[in-house]
Amino acid sequence: MTVIRKKKMDAATWISVGIVALIYVAVFVAEQLLPPTHMLFTVLKKGATYALVAVSMNLLNGFTGLFSLGQAGFMLVGAYTYAILTIPVDQRPAVYQYFDGGLVQFAMPVIPALICAGLIAAVFAFLIGLPVLRLKSDYLAIATLGFAEIIRAVFQWKNIGALTNGSNLLRAFPTFEDFNIKAADGTVVLRLSTLIPFVIAGVCIGLIVLLLHSSHGRAFMAIRDDEIAAEAMGINLSSHKQMAFCTSSFFAGIGGAMLAMYTASVQAKSFTSAMTYEILLIVVIGGIGSVTGSCISSFLFVACSEWWLRFLDQKQMIGDFEVPLLRNGFRLVVFSVIIMIVVLFFRQGIMGTRELPDLFRKRPKAKTAKGGKA
């Protein structure tokens, strides 16, 4: 009888868990002490959302080797699903004012609606994946990008406006602010609007990490490394590619729902191909094949684009001297230069293929031959 021993967590893993726990505590404390309008909370909310979407894209592009550019399309499906299912019934006549109150006349709780957002996105991925996953490399990227553009146009189609509200905004659904605990007079006694997106993203990313460490995750990486060898080992290529595609889309759908909660409104024209390129850029900067890298680069990307470089878009005066070049749009120029520098000096991204525990593990010393050098 064979005894299977569970692998124990080493010191590096425990240190990583402690760091993550401290980050959650710091977010909670900061939310109680700082004013709610502080730019830090905008970065944290959007960063947590982008971290989940980037990790979901990395699951497909980095760990499975499928080059897909349909992330914005699946986020759109998730955002619309969440919004449609959670708008209060008494608010629907105002939201669907051009479509007689809309087709759906019920409202779901937030958590079930988030799960439904992921499931509907996964269903779309399954249907799209049947013909598309037979393609490889650039052809797969073009096909999935085309899907994202088609789905964006379809959701704005007037003929299905009773469901999607056409090209009009969907609003009045629960947002992150609704998680704040309020007293009877309406004053906020405990702020949770920033911690909640961290919890949602953390749970989803944790599930992705567990998947990657399972037999299915090892099959994904085997397909990435060598499809022929993976198939020779008995791995069903089509089923595992479909599984990776649907799983990635499921979490992208939840990420889209989180983005809807962050922006407090949903409109199809916001989910352009530029959004997919942003997510792909985050994955590349963080490191293709690193969950930790995707998370770190998400917050750095959002902080730079939304907060730290904002002053470059405004005129700055030093006494009577006007600082040259500082005009609207100059921020994007500097941001692009920073990205190019990062790509040049970090060819494999910030983390490469390493994860957070790897930073605390000692590298094995190179063996030396007797009488010789290493």
Side-chain angles (χ1 to χ4, degrees):
M1 181 177 178
T2 304
V3 178
I4 301 175
R5 296 181 180 179
K6 293 183 179 180
K7 187 177 180 181
K8 294 182 179 180
M9 295 173 63
D10 58 5
T13 304
W14 281 114
I15 293 173
S16 302
V17 171
I19 291 174
V20 173
L22 285 175
I23 291 173
Y24 275 81
V25 172
V27 170
F28 175 77
V29 173
E31 193 169 15
Q32 312 311 314
L33 298 179
L34 298 177
T37 55
H38 199 286
M39 197 64 189
L40 173 65
F41 301 125
T42 299
V43 172
L44 293 177
K45 292 173 188 176
K46 190 173 181 180
T49 302
Y50 270 37
L52 173 57
V53 180
V55 172
S56 72
M57 189 176 198
N58 210 344
L59 170 65
L60 194 62
N61 291 25
F63 290 98
T64 314
L66 299 177
F67 189 31
S68 170
L69 292 177
Q71 219 70 1
F74 298 118
M75 291 175 67
L76 183 151
V77 173
Y80 266 84
T81 301
Y82 171 80
I84 291 169
L85 294 178
T86 56
I87 296 175
V89 176
D90 60 339
Q91 295 290 331
R92 290 182 182 271
V95 176
Y96 288 90
Q97 56 182 330
Y98 302 109
F99 299 98
D100 299 324
L103 182 64
V104 178
Q105 291 300 319
F106 62 88
M108 292 179 63
V110 171
I111 300 303
L114 283 173
I115 297 173
C116 287
L119 290 175
I120 298 299
V123 169
F124 271 81
F126 178 79
L127 297 176
I128 295 297
L130 290 175
V132 163
L133 290 179
R134 298 178 182 180
L135 304 173
K136 294 183 179 181
S137 188
D138 299 341
Y139 301 102
L140 176 60
I142 293 171
T144 50
L145 182 62
F147 153 73
E149 294 299 315
I150 291 170
I151 203 70
R152 183 161 60 92
V154 169
F155 271 61
Q156 297 180 85
W157 190 24
K158 187 177 180 180
N159 289 2
I160 60 171
L163 183 64
T164 64
N165 208 22
S167 58
N168 305 302
L169 285 171
L170 287 176
R171 50 186 176 79
F173 48 81
T175 65
F176 292 136
E177 303 299 325
D178 293 315
F179 286 94
N180 291 330
I181 299 176
K182 300 178 181 179
D185 59 354
T187 58
V188 177
V189 295
L190 189 65
R191 298 191 180 277
L192 300 173
S193 59
T194 306
L195 183 64
I196 290 301
F198 265 73
V199 171
I200 297 173
V203 170
C204 292
I205 292 172
L207 292 174
I208 293 175
V209 171
L210 289 177
L211 174 64
L212 290 173
H213 285 84
S214 69
S215 58
H216 296 295
R218 290 191 288 272
F220 295 160
M221 288 180 269
I223 292 172
R224 174 197 63 189
D225 295 336
D226 193 327
E227 286 192 9
I228 297 175
E231 190 172 23
M233 292 170 60
I235 296 174
N236 190 320
L237 298 183
S238 60
S239 65
H240 279 87
K241 286 182 179 180
Q242 188 72 269
M243 182 188 299
F245 194 53
C246 292
T247 304
S248 173
S249 302
F250 173 84
F251 291 109
I254 294 179
M258 290 176 62
L259 188 62
M261 297 171 75
Y262 165 74
T263 58
S265 63
V266 177
Q267 195 169 23
K269 68 178 183 180
S270 303
F271 295 85
T272 61
S273 56
M275 182 178 290
T276 298
Y277 300 147
E278 284 185 352
I279 303 301
L280 180 61
L281 180 62
I282 288 171
V283 172
V284 172
I285 291 175
I288 298 178
S290 172
V291 172
T292 306
S294 295
C295 295
I296 294 173
S297 60
S298 297
F299 289 100
L300 291 177
F301 178 88
V302 175
C304 288
S305 60
E306 300 285 343
W307 185 13
W308 295 340
L309 301 180
R310 279 290 181 184
F311 72 95
L312 297 174
D313 282 346
Q314 301 172 355
K315 293 182 180 180
Q316 301 289 336
M317 302 294 295
I318 302 177
D320 295 330
F321 175 74
E322 181 181 330
V323 180
L325 299 177
L326 298 187
R327 296 289 187 277
N328 187 28
F330 187 65
R331 169 177 59 91
L332 297 177
V333 175
V334 176
F335 188 52
S336 301
V337 172
I338 293 173
I339 290 172
M340 286 190 290
I341 292 173
V342 170
V343 172
L344 286 173
F345 287 94
F346 295 90
R347 296 295 179 88
Q348 294 184 335
I350 296 173
M351 294 293 291
T353 57
R354 296 176 299 170
E355 300 295 349
L356 186 58
D358 296 330
L359 300 178
F360 304 101
R361 292 192 178 106
K362 295 181 179 180
R363 294 183 180 180
K365 296 181 180 180
K367 295 182 179 179
T368 57
K370 292 182 179 180
K373 296 182 179 180

